[in-house]
Amino acid sequence: MANALSEIQQAILTGNLDDVAGLPVPESYRGVTVHAEDVEMFEGLPSKDKDPRKSLHLDDVPVPELGPGEALVAVMASAINYNTVWTSIFEPLPTFKFLQRYGRLSPLAKRHDLPYHVVGSDLSGVVLRTGPGVHRWQPGQEVVAHCLNVELEAPDGHNDTMLDSEQRIWGFETNFGGLAEVALVKANQLMPKPAHLTWEEAACPGLVNSTAYRQLVSRNGADMKQGDVVLIWGASGGLGSYATQFALNGGAIPVCVVSSPEKAEICRRMGAELVIDRTAEGYRFWKDENTQDPKEWQRFGAKIRELTGGDDPDIVFEHPGRETFGASVFAARKGGTIVTCASTSGYLHQFDNRYLWMNLKRIIGSHFANYRESWEANRLIARGHIHPTLSRTYGLADTGQAAYDVHRNTHQGKVGVRCLAPEDGLGVRDGELRERHLDRINTFRGV
Ligand SMILES: NC(=O)c1ccc[n+]([C@@H]2O[C@H](COP(=O)([O-])OP(=O)(O)OC[C@H]3O[C@@H](n4cnc5c(N)ncnc54)[C@H](OP(=O)(O)O)[C@@H]3O)[C@@H](O)[C@H]2O)c1
């Protein structure tokens, strides 16, 4: 580690945060990258055989120049999101295309267009420096960052910043992401680090927690209310583990779908009572690549009714996409909502539109979250109403393995990555609040 970085790390670890402003900014740092020269390395392989361990590198890269409205952050911990899996397997597009497009926007944005891409869309850490025009944040503050990167020069995004014509996901569609020792963010991505959490716990909710909040709770998403039956796909996964908590915290009734008894047990430990093991039930929604089987939709719907005592889902929390979307549209109640933010199994969805229009159902598209929604989602974590779902952590050099676990769906909840944090368990400032919620914070640990 560069000298300047180890001084910064020491100041943070010893709690001398006031010193950070006076320490020199390092010239370079280690970050997890993909390389432009590698984008064809997996040509011809099926997605599942594309191995992030081969494409993710740990490189020494220069610290980027700090622009107006931006902040440099010393990153203590980060986490794996599925977008890092997409980046590492160069699907559906190599992310260099996003960086090139961003680079055409302005001389400042041009900094992002490089032959390497430092990935990662979550962080917890300490503000190192802020650029001109930043007044709310100072060096030495402990922060987490959400991943919405907007320019807001056009009118489009001024009611809801997700609608900005230059809306990007930091660390996926921009460079200098969080799987690194230093990251560059816009200052309006910063939020206070929850004081009762360790660095790795605080980093892991970021992207998925904000996404699930908008998708399920916000008026921009499904606008969930007390008593709603919410069908949650992948309920112990990244998004689903937060959706399940939001449903329970908001007085709704989650019906959790998972693929193993271990995952079913985790849902029960979160407090969910209604759980479907899709593997044990053996659903085959597709007879072949082009034909779905409505009888299987019916069998799935009957199982939901059996669990709920006859109710169909008011809301279906969708993200598996092609594999499940026909079943989701079928299963939603009359007047119900299918809210989707992804298509893990394929983006060309098929569903029987008769079930949609005759039953006045709605499909809502949702994507990440605006600053306000992210802030509210983070506040629920900070107050101990929603908890991190961290199952295990890796060191920065093993990020490839961490992404591989998520790609192979062998993980639970969130997989964390230590960046400048030398070990797990550091960074707790409010031991009393932590003690009150320790069981919930550790629900996913080591499973
Ligand atoms: N638009 C956005 O802002 C946004 C934000 C976050 C994530 N995403 C996307 O959302 C997707 C999920 O992200 P995540 O972080 O929750 O990933 P994750 O941790 O891998 O969890 C997804 C879960 O979905 C379930 N699943 C996967 N394939 C399935 C299939 N074919 N049928 C039924 N269930 C399936 C699996 O659970 P079981 O095996 O237990 O059923 C898996 O654990 C990814 O595609 C990601 O890129 C989008």
Side-chain angles (χ1 to χ4, degrees):
M1 188 186 300
N3 247 354
L5 257 176
S6 69
E7 278 184 305
I8 291 164
Q9 184 194 42
Q10 276 315 306
I12 296 169
L13 293 176
T14 52
N16 293 315
L17 297 171
D18 290 344
D19 294 352
V20 169
L23 293 173
V25 174
E27 285 177 9
S28 66
Y29 67 103
R30 292 185 312 154
V32 175
T33 61
V34 286
H35 296 173
E37 69 201 21
D38 286 346
V39 298
E40 283 170 9
M41 71 190 292
F42 298 133
E43 284 276 287
L45 287 178
S47 298
K48 66 175 181 26
D49 295 336
K50 298 180 181 175
D51 187 341
R53 293 173 300 187
K54 296 191 174 140
S55 53
L56 291 174
H57 308 273
L58 184 60
D59 289 336
D60 241 306
V61 296
V63 170
E65 182 198 336
L66 182 62
E70 295 179 340
L72 280 174
V73 180
V75 184
M76 298 303 284
S78 183
I80 302 296
N81 285 294
Y82 215 91
N83 67 6
T84 290
V85 175
W86 294 124
T87 304
S88 69
I89 63 173
F90 308 106
E91 285 193 23
L93 293 171
T95 43
F96 292 99
K97 298 233 187 280
F98 302 143
L99 304 184
Q100 285 155 10
R101 195 178 309 151
Y102 191 25
R104 287 195 288 272
L105 188 69
S106 69
L108 211 56
K110 183 75 185 150
R111 288 171 304 166
H112 293 257
D113 180 9
L114 294 166
Y116 60 85
H117 184 183
V118 185
V119 296
S121 300
D122 282 326
L123 70 71
S124 65
V126 171
V127 177
L128 273 183
R129 289 288 188 279
T130 55
V134 177
H135 306 293
R136 277 179 71 106
W137 301 97
Q138 276 89 41
Q141 281 180 310
E142 297 185 329
V143 292
V144 291
H146 71 78
C147 63
L148 173 62
N149 177 293
V150 282
E151 310 300 318
L152 285 177
E153 288 198 281
D156 313 54
H158 282 262
N159 281 342
D160 173 8
T161 47
M162 278 304 296
L163 298 180
D164 187 37
S165 50
E166 299 295 339
Q167 177 270 317
R168 291 179 172 81
I169 299 297
W170 160 72
F172 179 59
E173 294 161 294
T174 78
N175 217 323
F176 318 122
L179 284 160
E181 294 168 333
V182 173
L184 180 75
V185 297
K186 304 246 190 202
N188 61 16
Q189 288 176 243
L190 296 173
M191 307 187 290
K193 171 190 168 286
H196 65 302
L197 298 181
T198 64
W199 294 112
E200 62 281 1
E201 290 163 357
C204 82
L207 183 149
V208 282
N209 185 45
S210 306
T211 305
Y213 183 88
R214 180 179 175 110
Q215 189 175 352
L216 190 56
V217 179
S218 166
R219 270 175 287 174
N220 290 317
D223 199 10
M224 184 193 82
K225 63 178 191 328
Q226 295 181 50
D228 278 351
V229 172
V230 185
L231 180 75
I232 301 170
W233 290 104
S236 73
L239 285 171
S241 56
Y242 292 92
T244 300
Q245 293 188 68
F246 284 130
L248 290 166
N249 193 49
I253 303 152
V255 179
C256 295
V257 187
V258 289
S259 62
S260 70
E262 294 74 33
K263 290 182 171 188
E265 181 52 28
I266 290 184
C267 292
R268 293 199 180 91
R269 282 169 64 183
M270 280 190 284
E273 291 172 359
L274 314 180
V275 185
I276 298 175
D277 179 342
R278 65 184 172 99
T279 309
E281 299 290 336
Y283 298 116
R284 291 178 62 90
F285 298 133
W286 291 80
K287 287 189 210 164
D288 59 48
E289 222 170 276
N290 300 308
T291 326
Q292 296 198 62
D293 186 349
K295 287 220 163 53
E296 285 293 273
W297 299 345
Q298 285 163 12
R299 192 161 74 83
F300 179 58
K303 180 72 191 177
I304 297 169
R305 284 185 183 173
E306 180 195 313
L307 291 176
T308 60
D311 287 339
D312 296 328
D314 298 273
I315 299 169
V316 181
F317 186 86
E318 245 295 335
H319 50 88
R322 182 169 173 84
E323 182 91 18
T324 55
F325 206 81
S328 293
V329 171
F330 174 83
R333 64 169 281 188
K334 195 168 178 133
T337 300
I338 302 98
V339 63
T340 173
C341 77
S343 292
T344 313
S345 64
Y347 50 78
L348 290 176
H349 297 182
Q350 263 182 30
F351 60 89
D352 185 334
N353 200 32
R354 292 170 297 181
Y355 291 112
L356 189 86
W357 99 70
M358 292 297 287
N359 295 299
L360 302 108
K361 304 181 189 186
R362 295 183 306 155
I363 295 172
I364 296 179
S366 189
H367 186 39
F368 189 59
N370 61 36
Y371 193 10
R372 179 75 206 167
E373 290 160 338
S374 298
W375 189 280
E376 287 173 11
N378 185 56
R379 194 175 52 150
L380 286 166
I381 302 258
R383 296 180 78 101
H385 293 293
I386 300 290
H387 304 284
T389 62
L390 188 69
S391 57
R392 66 177 301 180
T393 58
Y394 286 94
L396 197 54
D398 294 321
T399 301
Q401 181 64 42
Y404 179 80
D405 290 357
V406 174
H407 186 28
R408 302 312 296 253
N409 196 17
T410 55
H411 69 299
Q412 316 279 359
K414 293 295 299 178
V415 179
V417 175
R418 289 181 305 278
C419 299
L420 287 172
E423 61 196 67
D424 283 4
L426 305 174
V428 175
R429 308 292 178 220
D430 183 344
E432 197 196 322
L433 183 60
R434 180 177 185 77
E435 202 50 47
R436 259 195 277 152
H437 297 293
L438 201 55
D439 279 355
R440 299 297 306 280
I441 293 169
N442 286 329
T443 301
F444 283 66
R445 266 292 179 164
V447 208

